[in-house]
Amino acid sequence: MAVQAAADDGADDENAGAGEEVESASTPRDPAAAAIAKIIDTSKVYSDLVRQLQAGPAFQAAKWLQTQEDLLGTRKRVLEFQKSLVPTSVTGYVAGLRSMDQMAGTHLKYLKATAALSESIAGPGTLAAWRTSLQIESAMGEIIKGPVFQVRKSPVWATEAFRKNLGLTVHRQVYLTDWLARIDAGRGLLSEISSRPLSLYRDYVDTLGDSPTHFELGSSLHAGQGVNGLLGADALSSESVLEDADLEMEVADRVDDLLTPQQAGRLDVLEDLRRALASIEPKVVELLEGAWHVVHQAPPAAAEMAAQCAVESIDRAIRAAAPDAEVEKWLPTSGRPEKEWRSSNGRLTRAVRIRYIMRGFKDEAKMTLSLVDNIIALQTQAIGRAQAIKHASAGDLAMARCLLGTTEHILTVLFVIERP
């Protein structure tokens, strides 16, 4: 089972040292009993979770409490809790995970197990995105506490501001996905459009080790902020939000909380991005500036216009940076399968152009492609939103900002961050 494999991954043994294990005892500890009471046997989901966590050496308390269930008298309390407080199994599962988090802390092995379990139960979506974002925050936390930022003579780029931005970027992912998971209750507020890129981002951060390069961390920062934009746009384009004006306003407020702090970081690199794009294709600069100006005017269907501008900006930039003649010459030695080379109309695909631009950086290219693919998917969602609204709603404007911001972060990864 996928969760078992995650729980037994030896790569993370350092997070479950003997000194961190909870020792079995002959008498129950009330805080642990209270926490576990909220999750044991409230549904099949909880039982599966506890069984999987039993295999991890850091979670012997869970196993012990399960065997002592009758002695502790938790079954009755849990059933009463379920009836009175848990409207759906998904909501109950979320509540149970929070209780388990309090006992288990942020051990990476535990987060991997619960993330895999969440995805196997509910599929990619809000619940899986929340657990994935916790994994990312845990992994990034180790990086920003590691040698790059802590040695006596850190690289000149390893500033406190850079370290703080990395930490806040992933923390904001947790902030939004945690809130969405609590209110989702089957609404489908997030889909594969954001949860798959989030998972890919997690995989990238997991591979960085404790001493990543400036390019890797710069890519992590801007890809992470791009993912944040996808999360916001995905939630705002969900059917549940489109059908509920109050929910739309609430989600838009949370997305603004996510995006506003990122605006300062966006402005920090904006001039560098403008210069880079002006040297590649000046029209892209005009497109982006025009799109932001239009959004500030708050027209109806702002998200649809922003989506069109986003896709057009990316296409113009990558066509200019990866001309047909150069890409055609590179492809036979690229190692890419021929079926990826051209679209149905015979033109070179976005994928091969981006891989050409980022040749030599396979993982970063893959992550960037995921962001681009899902910006394009959101273009369809934005058209649906335009048909559903009659005025410039808060949700439409927030989604437009998400799309344009993510586009700029994609272009920053492609053209601004200095490569080794």
Side-chain angles (χ1 to χ4, degrees):
M1 184 175 177
V3 177
Q4 184 69 53
D8 288 342
D9 184 359
D12 297 300
D13 286 345
E14 67 274 12
N15 293 307
E20 296 175 341
E21 292 185 13
V22 181
E23 185 179 347
S24 296
S26 57
T27 57
R29 298 177 63 184
D30 288 343
I36 207 73
K38 293 184 179 180
I39 65 168
I40 294 179
D41 285 342
T42 58
S43 68
K44 181 178 182 296
V45 169
Y46 294 168
S47 298
D48 287 346
L49 174 63
V50 173
R51 281 198 296 271
Q52 295 305 320
L53 292 178
Q54 284 176 5
F59 301 99
Q60 294 305 311
K63 183 175 182 179
W64 175 75
L65 282 170
Q66 189 181 40
T67 62
Q68 298 295 316
E69 183 181 335
D70 291 338
L71 175 64
L72 296 172
T74 58
R75 184 182 294 275
K76 182 179 179 180
R77 284 185 288 161
V78 168
L79 290 175
E80 290 173 352
F81 171 80
Q82 183 182 21
K83 290 178 182 178
S84 63
L85 297 179
V86 184
T88 71
S89 60
V90 172
T91 303
Y93 179 47
V94 171
L97 283 176
R98 284 195 175 82
S99 298
M100 198 64 164
D101 289 348
Q102 292 173 359
M103 185 175 71
T106 57
H107 296 285
L108 190 54
K109 180 178 292 187
Y110 160 72
L111 294 173
K112 284 184 176 180
T114 56
L117 181 61
S118 298
E119 185 157 358
S120 69
I121 290 166
T126 312
L127 189 58
W130 168 44
R131 303 313 289 179
T132 299
S133 67
L134 286 171
Q135 275 185 261
I136 295 167
E137 186 177 42
S138 179
M140 186 62 79
E142 293 302 310
I143 290 172
I144 63 179
K145 290 187 297 184
V148 169
F149 293 97
Q150 300 300 326
V151 296
R152 183 172 297 177
K153 292 185 178 180
S154 295
V156 293
W157 53 266
T159 63
E160 175 61 19
F162 187 33
R163 185 194 67 79
K164 186 176 180 180
N165 280 339
L166 283 167
L168 287 177
T169 293
V170 296
H171 179 70
R172 290 173 194 135
Q173 290 172 357
V174 175
Y175 168 82
L176 182 63
T177 56
D178 175 62
W179 181 78
L180 290 171
R182 280 186 278 128
I183 69 165
D184 193 305
R187 286 165 159 163
L189 298 180
L190 294 180
S191 69
E192 290 190 60
I193 283 177
S194 60
S195 59
R196 289 302 188 195
L198 185 67
S199 295
L200 193 60
Y201 180 58
R202 171 203 57 202
D203 295 343
Y204 179 73
V205 172
D206 277 348
T207 66
L208 295 183
D210 62 359
S211 297
T213 66
H214 187 195
F215 176 69
E216 289 171 334
L217 287 179
S219 296
S220 297
L221 176 63
H222 288 282
Q225 292 178 342
V227 169
N228 287 354
L230 289 182
L231 287 166
D234 191 17
L236 288 164
S237 65
S238 67
E239 289 185 12
S240 296
V241 169
L242 288 174
E243 294 170 356
D244 186 334
D246 290 337
L247 179 62
E248 179 188 39
M249 180 67 73
E250 197 172 2
V251 173
D253 285 345
R254 292 283 174 160
V255 171
D256 280 339
D257 288 344
L258 178 80
L259 295 180
T260 300
Q262 290 189 184
Q263 287 300 304
R266 170 185 170 264
L267 295 174
D268 286 344
V269 299
L270 188 57
E271 286 307 314
D272 290 338
L273 179 59
R274 282 176 175 164
R275 282 193 294 270
L277 292 175
S279 68
I280 297 167
E281 171 52 272
K283 184 65 176 178
V284 176
V285 178
E286 297 175 16
L287 279 169
L288 290 172
E289 290 180 347
W292 282 112
H293 177 75
V294 168
V295 170
H296 291 149
Q297 302 304 307
E304 181 182 17
M305 289 185 279
Q308 291 172 345
C309 174
V311 175
E312 179 68 11
S313 296
I314 292 168
D315 281 345
R316 282 179 176 267
I318 63 174
R319 282 198 302 266
D324 287 9
E326 293 183 14
V327 178
E328 293 281 8
K329 184 178 179 180
W330 168 77
L331 277 172
T333 60
S334 67
R336 306 307 307 171
E338 289 190 25
K339 64 181 180 181
E340 293 183 5
W341 294 8
R342 292 177 176 78
S343 59
S344 57
N345 59 16
R347 295 179 180 175
L348 293 173
T349 63
R350 292 185 184 94
V352 298
R353 292 187 195 275
I354 289 173
R355 289 190 185 278
Y356 172 79
I357 293 167
M358 303 196 74
R359 56 196 183 278
F361 298 93
K362 180 179 178 181
D363 291 341
E364 288 80 9
K366 184 178 180 181
M367 188 168 55
T368 304
L369 277 170
S370 177
L371 293 173
V372 171
D373 287 345
N374 288 286
I375 277 278
I376 293 166
L378 280 165
Q379 186 177 27
T380 302
Q381 304 281 62
I383 293 171
R385 166 176 278 280
Q387 294 171 345
I389 65 173
K390 303 301 181 183
H391 57 87
S393 67
D396 196 51
L397 294 173
M399 184 175 176
R401 290 193 291 272
C402 287
L403 294 169
L404 291 176
T406 294
T407 299
E408 290 184 343
H409 289 300
I410 290 170
L411 294 172
T412 298
V413 173
L414 285 171
F415 303 117
V416 177
I417 302 173
E418 185 177 351
R419 300 175 195 177

